[in-house]
Amino acid sequence: MIFNTDTAKKTAELLLQINAIKLNPKNPFTWASGWKSPIYCDNRITLSFPPIRNYLREEFAKNIEKQFGKPDVIAGVATGAIGIGMLVAEIMGLPFVYVRPEPKKHGRENQVEGFLQKGQSVLVVEDLISTGKSSLQAVEALKAAGANVKGMVAIFTYGFEIAEENFKNANVELYTLGNYDMLLKEAVAKKYITEDEYDTLKEWRKSPSTWGIEV
């Protein structure tokens, strides 16, 4: 669920401006999962543009407090959300930790890095939601460390049904600054894509795991 349509529209506009969202229906990308995709989202690029990263952190901070109340700690999901998570923690004046995909194999073998006390309320920051699997693994790691996870926020979501189901089943509330539907509307309006490409991108979202596979 997006925080609000104005923020989603502005977020889409900014991501398109800096080419953080790459739309290429004619020459699809291949994700790590093996899925063929006409879109690739790289939100790390936002960190290189101070006005844009400041907009994102301010929108996050404002909407987090409004929707969830002020948590004790902000947690970023490694590696993509470490940067934006730190910026959000900084503007909110809160401690920051980050969560690895799995525990380290050496040293203290931590999965949650930073100082976190049992019982503290934590708001998780993510950069991108696809299926939600890795994001929810971070939530489980925080819970295992004794945290009270209030919810999760992200810059962008593809809005896959499987993600909605995964978050619902995990009983984790998710809010995002932007989403796929608003992105496509902005991309067409600003002529980043044609109407035909818009139709292709809409079709892909219905069945991303099988799209582009020849039978």
Side-chain angles (χ1 to χ4, degrees):
M1 183 184 300
I2 55 172
F3 284 115
N4 61 73
T5 53
D6 288 342
T7 300
K9 186 174 186 297
K10 182 66 175 179
T11 299
E13 180 185 318
L14 295 173
L15 293 177
L16 287 165
Q17 274 180 16
I18 61 173
N19 219 17
I21 301 279
K22 298 183 188 298
L23 301 167
N24 198 347
K26 293 178 182 176
N27 188 19
F29 305 95
T30 302
W31 287 3
S33 62
W35 289 5
K36 296 292 183 182
S37 170
I39 179 172
Y40 190 84
C41 182
D42 184 4
N43 290 323
R44 294 172 179 85
I45 293 174
T46 61
L47 299 174
S48 300
F49 296 84
I52 293 176
R53 73 182 187 220
N54 288 342
Y55 172 80
L56 296 177
R57 71 169 187 165
E58 286 161 12
E59 286 299 308
F60 267 140
K62 175 178 68 179
N63 286 295
I64 285 169
E65 197 148 2
K66 181 179 178 181
Q67 192 63 43
F68 297 98
K70 195 166 185 177
D72 297 320
V73 178
I74 295 291
V77 180
T79 59
I82 292 177
I84 190 66
M86 282 189 66
L87 290 170
V88 173
E90 177 67 19
I91 196 173
M92 295 185 76
L94 294 172
F96 176 76
V97 301
Y98 71 87
V99 188
R100 296 176 178 275
E102 57 184 31
K104 280 198 301 185
K105 304 296 185 187
H106 57 278
R108 296 174 61 201
E109 300 182 349
N110 290 339
Q111 185 168 4
V112 178
E113 297 285 8
F115 182 72
L116 178 67
Q117 291 180 302
K118 287 186 177 181
Q120 284 188 305
S121 62
V122 177
L123 194 288
V124 186
V125 176
E126 183 61 288
D127 72 319
L128 173 71
I129 304 294
S130 52
T131 65
K133 183 180 176 183
S134 59
S135 305
L136 290 169
Q137 285 173 344
V139 169
E140 289 307 308
L142 287 162
K143 288 181 176 179
N148 171 24
V149 178
K150 294 173 73 73
M152 182 180 294
V153 297
I155 297 173
F156 181 79
T157 178
Y158 288 106
F160 296 143
E161 285 185 14
I162 189 172
E164 293 177 11
E165 290 173 13
N166 286 340
F167 275 89
K168 183 179 179 180
N169 291 338
N171 197 28
V172 175
E173 198 171 5
L174 170 69
Y175 279 86
T176 64
L177 296 179
N179 67 1
Y180 192 71
D181 291 335
M182 187 62 74
L183 175 78
L184 293 192
K185 288 178 184 176
E186 279 299 294
V188 170
K190 300 292 172 59
K191 301 191 184 307
Y192 284 94
I193 58 173
T194 65
E195 290 285 352
D196 285 345
E197 289 171 328
Y198 172 83
D199 291 339
T200 298
L201 288 158
K202 289 279 283 186
E203 196 64 29
W204 166 77
R205 216 263 300 269
K206 293 177 184 176
S207 184
S209 62
T210 59
W211 185 88
I213 297 175
E214 294 183 7
V215 284

